[in-house]
Amino acid sequence: MARSLYEWLWQHEFWLPPGITWEDMQESEDTHYPQPRDLLLSIPFALILVVIRCAFERAIALPLSTKLGVRDKQRPKAQPNPVLETFYSTRRKNPEEGELLSLAKQCDLPLRKVDKWFRHRRNMDRPSLSKKFSEACWRFTFYIISFFTGLAVLYDKPWLWDHRECWTGYPQQPLQPSLFWYYMLELSFYWSLVFTLPFDVKRKDFKEQIVHHAATIFLISFSYCANYIRIGTLVMVIHDASDCFLEPTKIFNYMKWKKTCDSLFMIFSAVFLISRLVIYPYTVLYNTYYYSMEIFQPFFGYYFVNVLLIILQLLHVFWSCLIIHMVYKFILQGTMEKDMRSDTEESDKDEEREKIREKGENGITYFSNVTSNGYIRRNGSEPLNNRAHLANGHAKER
């Protein structure tokens, strides 16, 4: 059964253009082609990257955050309450109004305190500012290394300057060692992001991030197996270009350097929109969809790789809409809005408003009681028995 599945999966009709078989892709002493088994190396490399990341964040990023003045906000802790904790762990973290009323009755607590407990409990689970700073530092370091590694690998390659060269001799394009290690670096990094996904900072586009990581891993893996190495390297270097500006924007935002953050955000927005909405469609999508047809006829691999590339482009459009909205707000307000992707911490502003409202109500009640007795003292001494109730904010004479 397993052997039949293996033979079906690796049919040359799926992976290679018409007229090319696996026999035509046999290696020799001087010629090496991508082998699917090579992808297994990315798993141990990804685990090594996770270890390096942990060491980097503890030894470099956290001390750096302290020196740069990044301070974690002191969060009030939720008081131990087995009933509320059980509901929080097993049911939902943000209960509805009816559930809050039921929980308040079970715990014999005011509704406001139960709501406050859940707000504090949610804040306890949110990542600290220093964690966000450390994560951004690690990604910035990797993207810088990866981007300049890609430029160093590709600057003398003909397909970087003439995109039709991506298909010259395809699929019998020998794999160069520099391209192999560049692929392993990128694939290992995205696998490491998958491994650390449960522990990383969760943002509002968490689901889109999962789709992005899955599509990227599939795209890198499939492009390697089908020897789409040249087009794959273009995709990776284009993506790393804008990411090099995104992470330092976050870093300066956590440091409260608003002007630097705003400037980097505008640079990032320009690079992202140009690279993802202009360069990527022309260099990659148009290239794979049209230029490749000058060399071979469509086959399964052709359609599959284009579907993955289009999924990435749809994600580009999604994030571009968020960025354009933030740029619009920046132009109107003169300062960058908070990261719309971030899961912001809940404050006690609602609680403060509640206290103010209660004080106002108490004041109105006290004022009403006093006026109903017809006894208002002026400067604390003089009785005003000759005045009636207040009407429209003014005292009337009897």
Side-chain angles (χ1 to χ4, degrees):
M1 180 69 179
R3 183 175 180 82
S4 300
L5 179 62
Y6 180 85
E7 292 177 352
W8 175 83
L9 178 63
W10 293 105
Q11 295 182 71
H12 63 266
E13 291 86 358
F14 290 165
W15 300 87
L16 302 174
I20 304 294
T21 65
W22 291 116
E23 285 73 18
D24 300 318
M25 302 292 294
Q26 294 295 323
E27 294 185 330
S28 63
E29 294 182 1
D30 301 327
T31 304
H32 298 279
Y33 295 112
Q35 300 296 325
R37 62 176 178 271
D38 297 339
L39 298 176
L40 297 176
L41 293 175
S42 63
I43 303 299
F45 288 161
L47 297 176
I48 292 174
L49 281 179
V50 172
V51 173
I52 294 175
R53 172 183 175 175
C54 293
F56 174 87
E57 291 185 353
R58 291 189 178 185
I60 299 177
L62 281 177
L64 183 61
S65 68
T66 303
K67 291 183 179 180
L68 293 177
V70 178
R71 297 287 184 269
D72 293 332
K73 181 180 179 181
Q74 294 296 325
R75 300 169 176 169
K77 294 184 178 180
Q79 296 297 322
N81 189 308
V83 175
L84 300 182
E85 185 65 37
T86 301
F87 186 93
Y88 182 88
S89 303
T90 59
R91 298 284 298 278
R92 67 175 72 189
K93 297 182 179 181
N94 196 357
E96 297 178 354
E97 184 177 355
E99 293 170 328
L100 286 174
L101 288 171
S102 176
L103 290 170
K105 291 181 180 179
Q106 293 180 43
C107 301
D108 194 22
L109 292 173
L111 179 65
R112 183 174 58 82
K113 287 190 175 181
V114 175
D115 184 44
K116 177 181 176 182
W117 187 94
F118 276 96
R119 185 165 57 250
H120 290 173
R121 186 63 181 85
R122 288 192 296 268
N123 283 339
M124 288 172 60
D125 284 348
R126 286 185 170 86
S128 62
L129 200 61
S130 59
K131 176 175 175 57
K132 294 180 180 179
F133 179 90
S134 300
E135 180 180 314
C137 284
W138 163 250
R139 296 197 182 201
F140 172 63
T141 302
F142 176 84
Y143 287 135
I144 282 290
I145 294 174
S146 178
F147 178 66
F148 284 100
T149 298
L151 291 181
V153 169
L154 296 176
Y155 83 97
D156 61 343
K157 303 299 188 293
W159 63 86
L160 180 64
W161 314 106
D162 183 1
H163 306 321
R164 281 186 168 86
E165 288 293 328
C166 289
W167 312 110
T168 301
Y170 179 84
Q172 296 168 309
Q173 298 170 338
L175 176 63
Q176 301 177 19
S178 60
L179 299 178
F180 168 79
W181 288 112
Y182 182 42
Y183 249 73
M184 286 298 107
L185 177 67
E186 290 279 353
L187 183 58
S188 301
F189 176 70
Y190 281 101
W191 271 121
S192 72
L193 292 183
V194 172
F195 295 157
T196 59
L197 204 57
F199 314 103
D200 287 342
V201 177
K202 291 182 175 60
R203 305 183 185 277
K204 292 181 181 179
D205 61 346
F206 179 72
K207 294 180 180 179
E208 288 79 7
Q209 285 284 350
I210 294 177
V211 174
H212 175 269
H213 296 341
T216 302
I217 290 173
F218 274 117
L219 179 60
I220 294 176
S221 301
F222 181 81
S223 64
Y224 186 85
C225 294
N227 205 11
Y228 280 106
I229 298 292
R230 297 184 179 183
I231 200 69
T233 54
L234 294 178
V235 173
M236 293 187 292
V237 77
I238 289 172
H239 280 71
D240 290 340
S242 59
D243 291 333
C244 291
F245 293 97
L246 173 61
E247 301 306 327
T249 302
K250 297 179 185 178
I251 291 172
F252 284 108
N253 183 40
Y254 302 145
M255 292 167 55
K256 310 299 182 184
W257 290 24
K258 294 298 296 178
K259 291 184 178 180
T260 306
C261 176
D262 292 346
S263 300
L264 281 174
F265 170 71
M266 296 305 293
I267 295 174
F268 159 74
S269 301
V271 174
F272 185 95
L273 296 176
I274 293 173
S275 62
R276 306 293 180 94
L277 300 184
V278 179
I279 297 177
Y280 177 85
Y282 172 72
T283 304
V284 177
L285 293 181
Y286 187 82
N287 192 0
T288 56
Y289 192 77
Y290 289 104
Y291 288 164
S292 60
M293 293 296 94
E294 298 176 357
I295 307 300
F296 52 79
Q297 296 298 315
F299 63 106
F300 175 80
Y302 164 81
Y303 294 113
F304 187 70
V305 75
N306 275 283
V307 167
L308 293 177
L309 293 173
I310 290 173
I311 290 175
L312 283 183
Q313 182 60 21
L314 294 176
L315 292 172
H316 296 164
V317 173
F318 170 79
W319 285 313
S320 296
C321 292
L322 296 181
I323 292 171
I324 291 172
H325 180 74
M326 294 177 71
V327 171
Y328 176 73
K329 291 289 187 180
F330 176 83
I331 294 174
L332 290 182
Q333 300 175 2
T335 184
M336 188 183 75
E337 195 184 43
K338 67 182 181 180
D339 185 0
M340 296 175 62
R341 299 167 55 231
S342 297
D343 189 10
T344 54
E345 183 171 336
E346 296 177 84
S347 67
D348 289 333
K349 290 182 180 179
D350 294 336
E351 179 185 352
E352 293 172 2
R353 294 193 193 100
E354 182 70 18
K355 288 181 179 179
I356 293 173
R357 187 179 65 81
E358 288 179 356
K359 287 181 179 180
E361 290 177 351
N362 292 335
I364 293 171
T365 302
Y366 173 77
F367 192 69
S368 176
N369 290 336
V370 171
T371 55
S372 65
N373 293 329
Y375 188 79
I376 304 177
R377 291 182 179 270
R378 180 178 296 168
N379 297 329
S381 59
E382 181 183 351
L384 301 178
N385 292 325
N386 60 337
R387 300 201 176 202
H389 297 285
L390 294 183
N392 299 326
H394 299 283
K396 288 185 177 181
E397 297 290 344
R398 289 185 181 275

